[in-house]
């Protein structure tokens, strides 16, 4: 394998060139989420020759993911592979020159804060605003740029947030209708995903090769199906009184008391429960115990899947669990306590 040949077409693109390629190979990107946006963004980064990519994702691969999550296969579904693990495997197969780290877990304040000093850029590929607001405050606190992205149906949005220069997400939420993008059952089409990722990754590449003058500088939204495209200037939205990025920052979304231990996952009949203190479960022993109690169980090195009459529970090493086929948090919590209490 000749390294010079691998990136030759990218180096020929003059805004990147040899100098930009050398910069890319020294940079570290943190990718939050390895679903539709994250799997495509991860592939673009490793193909471009990024130095290191760290991926955090809390979920595992299901058959309904394959329609738009382009990195995964039916074998990943059959094996119930965590997305972070499968992403690392497939990305390494694409480019073994890139360092890829996959973290199976929740993007908590503690986990993210331990990584912020190490990274050059953060990519948003999550599906919930609680995580995005944590990310937004950490971005301001550690002076790290991050790129917002969201997609549902045929609609997508993207915005590049640079501490000290642009409005932050907290500022935007006061004026922009972003909340509807958090949880929607309207479905999603793959071309809209790819369009969001294209806009996110090209902005990321501009930052990583330090071509700051080429940054778009606007909030982008589009509806591919209805042929609508908007690029909105939002500089005036930046507020000096913002508690996340203003003159007197308090980083309100880093207050751990504000974060839930249970959540209904976006667009799914699934409740996530995470323990108040992280655990390290012996999955093999747990699977044996559940089988002895009459449950149908599948286990791999990363999780235990328990099939019951009306629901399915997937339990991870850190004690987190996904309870499928329900939106009843009380029922989900009682089931969790019954199996893991």
């Amino acid at each position: 394998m000749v390294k010079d040949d691998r990136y030759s077409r990218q180096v020929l693109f003059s805004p990147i060139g040899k100098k930009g390629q050398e910069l890319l190979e020294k940079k570290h990107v943190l990718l939050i989420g390895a679903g539709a946006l994250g799997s495509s963004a991860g592939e673009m980064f490793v193909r471009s020759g990024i130095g290191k990519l760290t991926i955090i994702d809390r979920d595992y691969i299901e058959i309904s993911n394959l329609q738009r999550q382009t990195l995964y296969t039916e074998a990943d579904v059959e094996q119930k592979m965590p997305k972070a693990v499968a992403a690392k495997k497939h990305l390494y197969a694409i480019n073994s020159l890139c360092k890829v780290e996959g973290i199976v877990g929740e993007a908590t304040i503690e986990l993210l804060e331990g990584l912020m000093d190490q990274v050059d850029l953060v990519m948003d590929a999550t599906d919930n605003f609680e995580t995005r607001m944590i990310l937004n405050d950490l971005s301001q606190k550690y002076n790290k740029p991050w790129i917002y992205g969201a997609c549902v149906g045929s609609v997508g949005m993207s915005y590049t947030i640079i501490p000290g220069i642009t409005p932050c997400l907290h500022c935007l939420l006061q004026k922009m209708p972003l909340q509807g993008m958090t949880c929607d059952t309207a479905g999603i089409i793959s071309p809209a995903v790819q369009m969001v990722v294209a806009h996110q990754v090209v902005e990321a590449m501009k930052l990583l090769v330090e071509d700051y003058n080429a940054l778009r500088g606007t909030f982008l939204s589009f509806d591919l199906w209805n042929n609508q495209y908007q690029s909105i200037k939002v500089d005036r939205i930046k507020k000096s009184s913002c508690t996340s990025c203003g003159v007197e920052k308090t980083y309100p979304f880093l207050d751990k008391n504000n974060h839930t231990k249970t959540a209904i996952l976006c667009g799914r009949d699934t409740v996530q429960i995470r323990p108040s203190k992280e655990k390290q479960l012996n999955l093999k022993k747990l699977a044996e115990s559940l089988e002895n109690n009459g449950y149908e169980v599948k286990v791999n090195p990363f999780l235990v899947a328990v099939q019951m009459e009306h629901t399915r529970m997937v339990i991870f090493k850190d004690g987190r669990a996904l309870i499928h086929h329900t939106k009843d948090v009380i029922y989900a919590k009682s089931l969790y306590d019954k199996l893991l209490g």
Side-chain angles (χ1 to χ4, degrees), residues 48 66 108 139 176 186 192-193 218 279 330:
S48 74
L66 300 186
T108 60
S139 162
M176 305 288 286
V193 172
T218 60
K279 303 179 180 181
I330 295 174

Side-chain angles (χ1 to χ4, degrees), residues 113 116-117 122 132-147 159-172 238-239 242-254:
E113 201 149 23
M116 292 301 284
D117 278 335
V122 184
R132 286 186 178 118
M133 298 313 291
I134 292 171
L135 177 56
N136 184 70
D137 275 10
L138 287 172
S139 162
Q140 300 300 320
K141 182 177 178 180
Y142 288 90
N143 194 33
K144 303 288 183 176
W146 73 286
I147 303 177
Y159 183 62
T160 302
I161 297 169
I162 305 174
I165 297 175
T166 69
C168 76
L169 189 63
H170 198 181
C171 294
L172 290 179
K238 186 169 176 61
K239 297 170 61 178
C242 176
T243 51
S244 294
C245 74
V247 176
E248 297 183 5
K249 306 178 186 72
T250 59
Y251 309 120
F253 299 98
L254 300 185

Side-chain angles (χ1 to χ4, degrees), residues 294-298 305-313 325:
Y295 292 106
E296 181 183 337
V297 175
K298 287 187 177 181
V306 189
Q307 186 65 51
M308 287 161 273
E309 185 177 356
H310 300 296
T311 190
R312 184 173 81 257
M313 180 185 289
H325 311 303

Side-chain angles (χ1 to χ4, degrees), residues 73-329:
T73 67
E74 291 179 355
D76 297 322
V77 176
E78 179 64 28
Q79 295 165 17
K80 287 186 165 39
M81 291 296 288
K83 291 179 182 178
V85 174
K88 177 180 178 178
K89 174 186 174 183
H90 295 311
L91 293 173
Y92 184 77
I94 290 168
N95 190 349
S96 60
L97 299 175
C98 295
K99 295 178 182 177
V100 181
E101 181 182 11
I103 299 173
V104 181
E106 190 84 7
T108 60
I109 297 169
E110 295 87 351
L111 176 57
L112 292 173
E113 201 149 23
L115 292 168
M116 292 301 284
D117 278 335
Q118 306 170 29
V119 304
D120 299 289
L121 172 72
V122 184
M123 292 287 286
D124 166 32
T126 186
D127 61 1
N128 69 89
F129 265 88
E130 181 176 308
T131 302
R132 286 186 178 118
M133 298 313 291
I134 292 171
L135 177 56
N136 184 70
D137 275 10
L138 287 172
S139 162
Q140 300 300 320
K141 182 177 178 180
Y142 288 90
N143 194 33
K144 303 288 183 176
W146 73 286
I147 303 177
Y148 164 79
C151 190
V152 66
S154 60
V155 174
M157 299 180 180
S158 179
Y159 183 62
T160 302
I161 297 169
I162 305 174
I165 297 175
T166 69
C168 76
L169 189 63
H170 198 181
C171 294
L172 290 179
L173 284 173
Q174 311 302 315
K175 298 289 183 180
M176 305 288 286
L178 305 183
Q179 300 280 19
M181 299 298 289
T182 59
C183 190
D184 201 308
T185 56
I188 189 168
I189 59 172
S190 184
V193 172
Q194 298 304 316
M195 180 68 83
V196 173
V197 173
H199 283 289
Q200 283 186 291
V201 174
V202 76
E203 287 285 281
M205 291 178 77
K206 294 171 189 177
L207 286 165
L208 295 170
V209 304
E210 300 174 6
D211 188 3
Y212 306 118
N213 291 329
L215 290 166
R216 188 179 63 244
T218 60
F219 183 94
L220 178 75
S221 66
F222 62 82
D223 185 334
L224 281 182
W225 201 265
N226 293 301
N227 308 304
Q228 297 170 353
Y229 190 98
Q230 286 184 304
S231 186
I232 307 166
K233 291 183 178 181
V234 293
D235 291 351
R236 293 183 180 180
I237 291 177
K238 186 169 176 61
K239 297 170 61 178
S240 61
S241 61
C242 176
T243 51
S244 294
C245 74
V247 176
E248 297 183 5
K249 306 178 186 72
T250 59
Y251 309 120
F253 299 98
L254 300 185
D255 183 345
K256 296 170 189 175
N257 295 321
N258 292 336
H259 303 294
T260 57
K261 293 293 187 291
T262 61
I264 300 172
L265 298 193
C266 178
R268 298 163 64 182
D269 289 334
T270 300
V271 175
Q272 175 179 263
I273 295 177
R274 60 180 192 255
S276 54
K277 292 184 179 180
E278 186 174 308
K279 303 179 180 181
Q280 281 301 314
L281 300 176
N282 183 323
L283 295 181
K284 185 178 179 181
K285 188 175 180 180
L286 175 62
E288 290 173 354
S289 173
L290 292 169
E291 281 182 333
N292 290 337
N293 281 285
Y295 292 106
E296 181 183 337
V297 175
K298 287 187 177 181
V299 61
N300 67 31
F302 312 101
L303 57 83
V304 173
V306 189
Q307 186 65 51
M308 287 161 273
E309 185 177 356
H310 300 296
T311 190
R312 184 173 81 257
M313 180 185 289
V314 176
I315 306 161
F316 296 87
K317 273 187 177 182
D318 61 4
R320 264 185 325 113
L322 301 177
I323 297 88
H324 296 282
H325 311 303
T326 184
K327 290 185 178 180
D328 186 335
V329 172

